[in-house]
Amino acid sequence: MTVEVMIGRGRDAIDMVVDPGSFRENTVGDVTFPEDLGPGAVVGEAAIDGRDVVVIANDAQAFNDKFPVVYFGVIGLEEAYKMAKVVYTAIKQDADKPVGEKRPLVLLVDTPGNGPGKIEEIFGMNKATGSYQLALAEARKAGHPVIALVIGRAISGAFLCHGLQADHILSLSPEFGTMIHVMPITSISRITKMDIERLEELSKENPVFAAGPQFFYHLGGVDELVENVEDMRPAIQRHIAEVEAAKLAGDGDATGPMGHGTLGEERGGRMMRRKVIDRMEEEFASVAGKYL
Amino acid sequence: MSDWKELEAKSFYGASARERARGIVDEGTFTELAGPADRMSSPHLPVLGEAVEWDDGCVTGVGLIGKHPVFVISQEGRFIGGAVGEVHGAKMVGAFVLARQMYDRIKEEHPDELAERLPAVVISFETGGVRLHEANAGLLAHAEVMDQIQETKGKFPVISLIGSKVGCFGGMGFVAAATDVIVMSDLGRLGLTGPEVIEQEMGKDEFDSADRSLVYRTTGGKHKYIMRDANYLVEDTLGDFHDQLAAIMEAPYDEIVQCRRIGSEALVDEQLALAELSVEMAPKDARDVWAYFGNEDVEQIPEMTTAEFLAVAQRR
Amino acid sequence: MALRELNFTFTPDEPRPFPVGWSHRGVVGSGDMEVMFEQRDLGGDVQIKVCTPVVGFDEVWERVLDRFVRESQVSDAVIEINDNNATPVVVSMRMRQAMEEARKEAE
């Protein structure tokens, strides 16, 4: 087992996952993105085993001079819109290709948050992160396999933005220092006024608030934990194949967030979700006539 | 006067989630689904010693506006700030699932009347996003709701109502942004990062979260209306929200979706241009942006009544 | 630490059976509570279950609930409460509201 911490190394991760020398930054088909646009997001085209893929990653080393809150992998206004544009570009270019030939989207995730700030709120950071999520959902529903791999930090709203809309989600295992959470247990302890020791004890049996990829695995939010950096590339390939097979079989809810909901139940992590939806369907069935 | 008519005169801001759910659809048409009698409370709160509510802070159900079946999601800010946990999130998803099924059924059973019977999902937001006590499940539920919103595109509208005490923040801020139409009152607040967190990040000199008027200028209904992030600004009564909804539902679907601010490449281009403009403009305050878009006497805008404001507002 | 459950059974002197299927009132905000009354044949008794995060007020609960039962003489109901630090005044008010609504509905 090779433990090589990947936090802050989005660009290295691209090189480790794609065919050597195949990454063309800021290029998607015949479209080129300006070099100075949203430097916190690395986008472009590459090949995995000769097959074209579109790559979207965080660059935690970059600073966005125009938006000072963007550094350390933060997704700002420009980054989110750039990421969304890349996805729409791929959808448009592959519109006529059948499922199975549409380019996979590979998301390499290492982000601590969405841009917080006054300018961001005045102009609407919620629209920026929302637009990228809608674009990914549209790509997924159009037949593009969307695979996310968490290599470092996948924190709260930033993970929703960049990762949680994927068909399948992979994460390097906790040994790599990967962080998936909304808030660290120390902050939860402060807000809920519960002892950290008690929370840690409770989190062993109830993973709904504990921090770490293993807990998201249990809740169905992570499909697979990757134990070695060498396995990142084959794991992505394997999941592209699995997702593509599911899409060809025509079940749209088998992968993506709804698929992860089902997985959460299979793994015993989220047992109420299905019951609630079923109850609503049942109760509605008895009154539906009034509304038709 | 009937209970419902009394309800219509009530302040939207102060109304409970259940009152809003009943009041935003036509009189006597609301049926609650997975209501308190089902006792579907959070399985995660008791172990943390946190009080539970049988509806988990989210009232869901179905009503009518005209002939339109309207699937309602209404969040209760008084219960843990309206925050989204596993059950609360599943109820939101459930409302979308039912609306999708209804859409398919109407298409099959009433193909000629699809326009007048077109269903809708209406969300009355009052939330700060993820519930910390069950944060991971809440986060995953947000992703499901975003997926379900995309699923409705090209089929039926999803409409946001924002005018309750807690506002609409955190992950639910982008859920609202992703819907087709946003209706707000002057008292509504919409954003991603809550005021306290901005203060933490930028310092009190730059953003004082205790400065209520600053918070309203940055996230409030009037600002969002000028920015075209809110499509309609209405008075603070349940009746005004209901009537605005009814007016929206009368329009053809193709017209309704013109209200979207994101969700296509062209709209992303528009928003990206706006982000670039923010760099050029470098506003110190939302007032600078109002002035940029042609509003005079920006100092007075927060003081204006909704009617006064609507009469003079210049939008992006 | 975890939520606590308190259970009480009262026997009113002149039982007035709960008149409708169920009645619900309240929101579990801070300092508030919700209450659910459900019709059940209990041979003139009334059962009350309280779910609360607060420790050390079992006797206060008993007195407040006993007074409510004596005043309303409600019987043949299961009453459940989700409490979040509601004061005795709020408790009595919510209970009365749910009861009045049920009796109004039954008329």
Side-chain angles (χ1 to χ4, degrees):
Chain A
M1 170 164 163
T2 323
V3 172
E4 190 180 341
V5 170
M6 296 299 296
I7 295 173
R9 294 176 56 201
R11 287 180 178 276
D12 291 349
I14 297 175
D15 292 338
M16 292 159 84
V17 162
V18 304
D19 296 349
S22 70
F23 182 56
R24 295 187 303 284
E25 187 169 358
N26 292 324
T27 302
V28 178
D30 56 2
V31 172
T32 310
F33 291 88
E35 254 179 52
D36 60 347
L37 181 70
V42 193
V43 302
E45 214 166 31
I48 297 182
D49 241 7
R51 180 175 183 187
D52 284 346
V53 298
V54 173
V55 181
I56 305 176
N58 306 106
D59 184 350
Q61 312 301 328
F63 285 78
N64 189 327
D65 295 330
K66 291 186 273 181
F67 296 93
V69 297
V70 177
Y71 60 96
F72 204 39
V74 162
I75 299 172
L77 290 167
E78 260 194 346
E79 280 72 21
Y81 288 130
K82 173 185 180 182
M83 292 159 120
K85 265 186 83 64
V86 167
V87 177
Y88 283 125
T89 303
I91 295 172
K92 197 165 58 182
Q93 289 171 348
D94 291 358
D96 296 332
K97 293 183 194 162
V99 176
E101 287 177 28
K102 290 179 191 281
R103 279 167 296 177
L105 308 179
V106 176
L107 321 180
L108 299 169
V109 182
D110 179 25
T111 174
N114 291 299
K118 187 152 80 177
I119 295 276
E120 279 71 14
E121 286 306 309
I122 288 175
F123 285 85
M125 186 64 216
N126 59 328
K127 291 178 290 184
T129 170
S131 64
Y132 177 41
Q133 293 174 60
L134 287 180
L136 286 172
E138 184 173 329
R140 174 160 48 73
K141 291 170 197 292
H144 291 265
V146 183
I147 310 297
L149 169 63
V150 178
I151 59 161
R153 300 150 302 158
I155 313 296
S156 196
F159 189 28
L160 280 167
C161 178
H162 184 50
L164 283 174
Q165 281 303 319
D167 282 299
H168 276 189
I169 299 165
L170 320 177
S171 173
L172 283 174
S173 53
E175 292 78 9
F176 293 86
T178 36
M179 290 181 250
I180 306 183
H181 60 243
V182 172
M183 250 187 206
I185 228 163
T186 45
S187 306
I188 296 182
S189 154
R190 188 162 43 81
I191 289 165
T192 59
K193 298 181 180 68
M194 296 186 63
D195 301 344
I196 293 188
E197 293 75 26
R198 170 94 176 123
L199 280 171
E200 274 169 354
E201 185 60 36
L202 287 169
S203 70
K204 286 178 196 152
E205 294 204 354
N206 188 344
V208 291
F209 59 85
Q214 68 277 32
F215 299 112
F216 273 79
Y217 177 88
H218 190 60
L219 295 171
V222 164
D223 292 80
E224 185 181 329
L225 293 170
V226 178
E227 310 277 350
N228 292 290
V229 288
E230 292 81 2
D231 293 340
M232 295 192 299
R233 179 182 156 103
I236 288 172
Q237 281 180 288
R238 187 156 34 79
H239 282 274
I240 289 174
E242 279 177 26
V243 164
E244 216 148 51
K247 286 181 193 291
L248 286 165
D251 184 357
D253 283 346
T255 63
M258 294 296 268
H260 291 122
T262 309
L263 197 58
E265 191 183 0
E266 283 167 18
R267 290 179 181 167
R270 280 186 284 163
M271 302 309 286
M272 277 302 283
R273 177 188 170 278
R274 177 42 60 194
K275 283 185 197 142
V276 169
I277 298 171
D278 286 349
R279 178 70 60 87
M280 288 174 73
E281 287 193 46
E282 225 173 86
E283 290 181 3
F284 181 60
S286 65
V287 296
K290 268 168 69 181
Y291 298 96
L292 260 173
Chain B
M1 199 155 52
S2 70
D3 284 357
W4 187 83
K5 293 223 167 62
E6 271 172 39
L7 194 57
E8 293 301 274
K10 220 178 150 158
S11 159
F12 189 92
Y13 186 77
S16 72
R18 192 156 285 109
E19 288 172 324
R20 279 179 270 132
R22 282 205 299 129
I24 59 180
V25 294
D26 292 348
E27 180 165 10
T29 64
F30 183 71
T31 303
E32 186 163 352
L33 303 169
D38 288 324
R39 294 181 176 73
M40 298 193 109
S41 55
S42 163
H44 309 300
L45 293 174
V47 67
L48 298 174
E50 194 73 29
V52 296
E53 185 164 281
W54 289 306
D55 61 22
D56 205 35
C58 182
V59 175
T60 43
V62 56
L64 285 170
I65 290 182
K67 281 188 174 180
H68 301 283
V70 173
F71 294 84
V72 178
I73 298 164
S74 184
Q75 298 176 315
E76 179 53 67
R78 282 179 287 170
F79 180 67
I80 325 186
V84 180
E86 181 181 354
V87 172
H88 183 130
K91 289 176 85 170
M92 297 185 78
V93 172
F96 278 91
V97 169
L98 294 178
R100 285 167 60 189
Q101 291 169 357
M102 192 65 159
Y103 173 80
D104 291 341
R105 215 173 137 181
I106 292 169
K107 227 173 120 180
E108 199 174 302
E109 294 175 23
H110 303 278
D112 304 335
E113 294 178 57
L114 184 60
E116 60 184 294
R117 291 176 182 271
L118 196 66
V121 173
V122 174
I123 312 175
S124 173
F125 287 100
E126 188 178 19
T127 180
V130 171
R131 181 186 298 169
L132 276 185
H133 310 77
E134 39 189 304
N136 302 345
L139 197 72
L140 294 169
H142 275 69
E144 291 179 37
V145 175
M146 287 300 278
D147 171 80
Q148 290 300 294
I149 289 177
Q150 180 59 37
E151 193 68 40
T152 68
K153 303 284 179 195
K155 296 174 186 157
F156 56 86
V158 183
I159 302 169
S160 299
L161 310 181
I162 304 170
S164 297
K165 200 167 187 181
V166 175
C168 175
F169 287 97
M172 282 293 142
F174 54 69
V175 168
T179 63
D180 296 305
V181 187
I182 299 181
V183 182
M184 291 180 80
S185 76
D186 181 20
L187 298 172
R189 290 176 298 136
L190 168 62
L192 180 67
T193 310
E196 292 79 10
V197 182
I198 302 178
E199 178 183 301
Q200 219 171 59
E201 296 284 330
M202 306 188 69
K204 215 179 175 76
D205 292 342
E206 190 64 27
F207 201 95
D208 180 358
S209 65
D211 182 346
R212 201 175 140 85
S213 58
L214 169 66
V215 171
Y216 267 93
R217 285 199 302 279
T218 312
T219 61
K222 284 176 182 153
H223 172 63
K224 294 293 164 184
Y225 183 77
I226 290 172
M227 298 301 282
R228 291 190 185 279
D229 290 352
N231 304 102
Y232 301 98
L233 193 73
V234 301
E235 300 282 355
D236 173 40
T237 71
L238 278 164
D240 281 279
F241 275 89
H242 168 267
D243 294 351
Q244 186 60 60
L245 262 183
I248 293 165
M249 291 308 294
E250 262 180 41
Y253 179 69
D254 291 348
E255 205 174 289
I256 295 173
V257 300
Q258 300 295 319
C259 286
R260 286 179 194 162
R261 57 224 67 78
I262 55 170
S264 70
E265 190 175 11
L267 288 170
V268 165
D269 284 338
E270 207 180 283
Q271 293 296 341
L272 184 55
L274 193 60
E276 300 304 335
L277 178 66
S278 79
V279 179
E280 196 186 297
M281 207 193 293
K284 291 267 175 280
D285 190 283
R287 282 186 293 238
D288 300 342
V289 183
W290 304 345
Y292 181 92
F293 289 122
N295 290 283
E296 289 165 19
D297 208 3
V298 293
E299 297 293 335
Q300 282 309 309
I301 284 182
E303 311 303 324
M304 292 177 187
T305 64
T306 301
E308 286 166 354
F309 170 74
L310 288 174
V312 297
Q314 299 294 313
R315 308 173 75 187
R316 169 170 79 79
Chain C
M1 193 47 100
L3 271 188
R4 302 171 64 245
E5 202 182 293
L6 311 175
N7 287 288
F8 305 95
T9 301
F10 299 98
T11 313
D13 310 327
E14 299 163 34
R16 290 179 65 189
F18 187 67
V20 295
W22 59 273
S23 176
H24 171 260
R25 253 341 245 255
V27 170
V28 192
S30 184
D32 212 331
M33 56 165 255
E34 66 179 335
V35 59
M36 171 80 79
F37 285 61
E38 250 183 316
Q39 204 172 46
R40 183 91 49 90
D41 184 1
L42 295 175
D45 280 0
V46 59
Q47 283 175 6
I48 307 183
K49 180 176 119 183
V50 180
C51 204
T52 178
V54 193
V55 185
F57 290 96
D58 301 14
E59 278 178 36
V60 177
W61 273 110
E62 185 162 10
R63 272 168 45 195
V64 171
L65 297 174
D66 178 54
R67 192 164 64 207
F68 170 75
V69 173
R70 275 191 282 112
E71 280 170 9
S72 66
Q73 293 294 320
V74 63
S75 74
D76 297 280
V78 173
I79 303 173
E80 288 179 67
I81 290 168
N82 280 326
D83 167 58
N84 189 11
N85 292 287
T87 61
V89 177
V90 172
V91 175
S92 309
M93 179 181 70
R94 296 279 175 247
M95 307 274 296
R96 259 199 329 271
Q97 285 170 339
M99 192 67 234
E100 278 164 15
E101 195 166 276
R103 288 188 174 152
K104 207 170 99 188
E105 195 189 317
E107 279 169 14

